[in-house]
Amino acid sequence: MKAPRWQLFLHREKQLLLMWLLGLLVGMEFLENGMFVFASSHILGGIGVAPREFAQVQAAYAIGSMLMIALQQWLSRHFGYRQYLLLALLLYALGDLASASAGNLAELTTARLVQGLGGGAFFISTRVLIPMLFAPALRPKAVRVYMLSIFGVGAAGPLLSAWLVDNWGWRWVFWVVLPMAALIAVGVRGLLPRHLGRSRTPVRWSVAPIVLFVLAAGCVQWSFSQARFELFESPGRLALVILAGVLLMGLFGIHQWRHDEPLLHLRDLTHPGFLVGIALYALYYFIVNFSNYLFPQFAERGLRIPLITTGWLNSFAAFISLVVAVLYIKYAARITNKRALMVAGCVAMAGASFWLSRIPADAPASALYGALAIKGFFGVLMVLPVAALTFRALDARHFAKGYQSKNIMRQMMSSFASAVAAVALQDSKFMHYTDLIGRMTPSNQAANAWLESMQAHFEHLGYIAPQASTAALAELGELVSQQALLMACQQLYQFLAAAAAMAALVVAAQRRLR
């Protein structure tokens, strides 16, 4: 007997709501993380710590996220996806509240660890739920909604972050996410089937792999965030931590390979095409997260572009990515050579990075639009073909296992890239600052003339001579600091251009993904 029209209508509406619910769930994490990275200098400045500590905070989020991703299959089979996601949303909201209330580095690091525990569930679970919730005919539409949600929040995140910081303060980067989390929790509670994904047989729990994974991930992430400083201060300790991390990761891998119900199903993920895809994913996540950290520093602090305008510029590049994503989804099936698209994306990133490295100090904001437009092609042309081709190498029954491993790698590379960018920027700025200050000698006529002119300016404003001299020197120090940061950013953009060009060569040389 055919179902009544109203029932069919309600079913279609529920399916559409489910698509957008999954998109909002993954979009919320992308939005908050994007806002956090964009506003990182303001957030760290707000609690009175140096920018280099950003690496520690990112490492904490990554450890929490990787642990939740590793536990995803066990927890979803034990609780079912509805209860599992509600628990993750609670952890995420608690971490978000703690981040907004943080007053020092230890509090923010702990808060981001808790938030990572919650956020780690979203990306993997939502993508795995698409084939579980939707019939084959609806899956392409669900994937389109899912991908457009990710690129859409990418376009909104920087501008929203800039507006919140400029008008309300950095804590609102966290506060603004809470209503979205509450709304999504209502949707999860009302729309997801109660026992979806829950195993009928008891899940076999084992403490050993969890402990091994946490210790291994902790050592690796600590090495990422502290290597540059420990290399000179305590090289022995750094070497021991790296060695411990490698050994623990090796023990974890051996344990998982032999275990009947492992956290990570490594034995099912040995297809060469999948492994090549994961390597290309790693390249992509390194480049994109390095760039995401670098641009706000370059535009706002290096070029002295206002925060709101920097947000507009960043969102402009993300909007280009959104437009390209729409076109890709519409026309990708007609393009058989996906490898050419990936190479084109890497070349675009290399060109955009080199362009930005040549931007002069007095350039207006409009001078950046061309480079940012080119940059917007990278994310889509690189990652969407890689995503399609990587998981095509796996059987459908191994999709969730492969996506789990891919997301652990994503968090590791995101943290690593942000740490490298933060530390390298501080390091390079210090070297350029030292070099520039060394040139400020009594024989430097240009510097002396500038100081005399600035001192006269302050005397004209009513300062007495000693005060005017001190103020002029402070202005010179600030100018040198800005110039050093700009030069450091330009140097790192040259590195990024080289990395993207190398990625293009790697993509062109590989033969597994086409």
Side-chain angles (χ1 to χ4, degrees):
M1 183 178 177
K2 192 174 181 179
R5 276 184 157 184
W6 65 271
Q7 287 186 353
L8 292 174
F9 173 78
L10 289 177
H11 177 71
R12 284 196 298 269
E13 290 299 307
K14 183 178 180 180
Q15 293 288 91
L16 185 60
L17 285 173
L18 274 170
M19 291 178 191
W20 284 108
L21 176 66
L22 298 184
L24 282 173
L25 190 53
V26 70
M28 178 179 66
E29 194 210 1
F30 273 72
L31 175 68
E32 197 276 341
N33 270 323
M35 290 195 300
F36 178 78
V37 172
F38 180 86
S40 59
S41 60
H42 297 273
I43 294 171
L44 295 176
I47 60 173
V49 299
R52 74 178 192 177
E53 306 299 348
F54 177 74
Q56 175 181 317
V57 179
Q58 279 293 79
Y61 187 93
I63 291 170
S65 182
M66 287 190 292
L67 177 58
M68 181 60 92
I69 294 168
L71 292 171
Q72 187 261 349
Q73 292 200 37
W74 282 5
L75 293 174
S76 61
R77 288 170 56 207
H78 181 74
F79 293 106
Y81 274 99
R82 189 171 81 173
Q83 297 301 323
Y84 168 62
L85 287 174
L86 287 173
L87 173 63
L89 281 164
L90 176 61
L91 287 171
Y92 192 78
L94 290 174
D96 196 66
L97 277 169
S99 297
S101 307
N104 54 55
L105 180 62
E107 291 177 2
L108 183 62
T109 301
T110 304
R112 291 294 286 176
L113 175 68
V114 175
Q115 200 169 2
L117 278 170
F122 302 150
F123 195 7
I124 178 173
S125 296
T126 50
R127 185 63 185 89
V128 169
L129 281 171
I130 288 177
M132 296 176 67
L133 289 171
F134 304 106
L138 286 175
R139 287 173 196 168
K141 182 178 180 180
V143 171
R144 286 197 297 271
V145 170
Y146 187 80
M147 299 309 299
L148 292 177
S149 298
I150 292 174
F151 284 104
V153 299
L159 181 58
L160 177 60
S161 182
W163 184 83
L164 289 169
V165 172
D166 203 43
N167 290 279
W168 299 89
W170 65 266
R171 297 185 191 276
W172 280 89
V173 169
F174 301 104
W175 290 122
V176 76
V177 177
L178 290 172
M180 188 184 301
L183 177 64
I184 291 171
V186 172
V188 169
R189 179 71 176 78
L191 293 175
L192 286 187
R194 182 175 182 180
H195 298 294
L196 179 67
R198 189 170 181 177
S199 175
R200 295 182 179 179
T201 58
V203 177
R204 290 175 56 190
W205 300 91
S206 178
V207 175
I210 299 174
V211 173
L212 275 175
F213 183 82
V214 170
L215 291 175
C219 288
V220 170
Q221 290 297 320
W222 185 88
S223 301
F224 285 170
S225 63
Q226 299 297 320
R228 184 63 186 86
F229 312 109
E230 294 289 321
L231 183 62
F232 297 104
E233 296 175 7
S234 304
R237 181 170 61 180
L238 176 63
L240 284 174
V241 173
I242 292 174
L243 180 61
V246 171
L247 289 175
L248 288 169
M249 196 64 77
L251 288 172
F252 174 75
I254 293 170
H255 181 278
Q256 295 299 282
W257 189 273
R258 295 176 175 176
H259 202 279
D260 292 333
E261 292 191 35
L263 291 171
L264 303 180
H265 296 257
L266 302 179
R267 285 176 296 182
D268 299 323
L269 305 175
T270 57
H271 191 287
F274 176 78
L275 297 178
V276 169
I278 290 297
L280 295 182
Y281 261 125
L283 276 174
Y284 166 77
Y285 284 122
F286 178 85
I287 292 171
V288 78
N289 284 283
F290 192 103
S291 174
N292 287 345
Y293 178 84
L294 183 58
F295 180 76
Q297 313 296 325
F298 170 68
E300 184 191 358
R301 298 173 58 204
L303 296 176
R304 294 294 178 88
I305 294 173
L307 179 61
I308 287 292
T309 306
T310 300
W312 275 109
L313 290 168
N314 217 333
S315 288
F316 168 75
F319 177 75
I320 296 296
S321 293
L322 177 61
V323 172
V324 176
V326 172
L327 295 174
Y328 179 90
I329 290 169
K330 187 173 182 179
Y331 298 109
R334 304 179 188 179
I335 302 174
T336 56
N337 188 358
K338 296 294 194 295
R339 187 169 58 179
L341 290 178
M342 292 185 277
V343 171
C346 293
V347 170
M349 188 65 180
S353 299
F354 183 75
W355 186 337
L356 291 171
S357 75
R358 310 298 295 175
I359 296 289
D362 58 349
S366 58
L368 279 65
Y369 279 108
L372 293 175
I374 297 172
K375 175 192 170 188
F377 282 77
F378 170 68
V380 178
L381 296 185
M382 178 65 177
V383 77
L384 292 190
V386 170
L389 297 174
T390 299
F391 293 100
R392 191 174 67 182
L394 295 179
D395 293 336
R397 66 181 185 276
H398 297 322
F399 176 79
K401 304 169 186 176
Y403 218 76
Q404 182 188 34
S405 297
K406 173 257 177 184
N407 274 282
I408 287 178
M409 181 278 302
R410 176 179 75 94
Q411 283 297 340
M412 189 172 293
M413 291 307 297
S414 298
S415 171
F416 177 57
S418 298
V420 170
V423 172
L425 184 60
Q426 285 294 104
D427 236 23
S428 183
K429 178 189 173 184
F430 176 77
M431 288 188 294
H432 286 297
Y433 183 84
T434 302
D435 179 59
L436 291 172
I437 284 293
R439 300 180 188 181
M440 300 296 142
T441 62
S443 61
N444 190 323
Q445 296 180 359
N448 291 332
W450 188 92
L451 277 172
E452 290 173 4
S453 173
M454 188 57 63
Q455 183 171 344
H457 169 72
F458 282 115
E459 287 177 353
H460 181 72
L461 293 177
Y463 287 63
I464 61 175
Q467 291 176 333
S469 177
T470 301
L473 286 170
E475 284 289 321
L476 179 62
E478 181 66 24
L479 182 63
V480 171
S481 179
Q482 180 212 345
Q483 185 64 26
L485 178 66
L486 177 61
M487 294 169 69
C489 289
Q490 290 173 330
Q491 187 176 27
L492 292 186
Y493 268 122
Q494 291 172 0
F495 163 77
L496 197 59
M502 185 62 69
L505 293 176
V506 171
V507 171
Q510 64 85 28
R511 294 291 182 267
R512 291 289 179 180
L513 302 183
R514 297 176 181 272

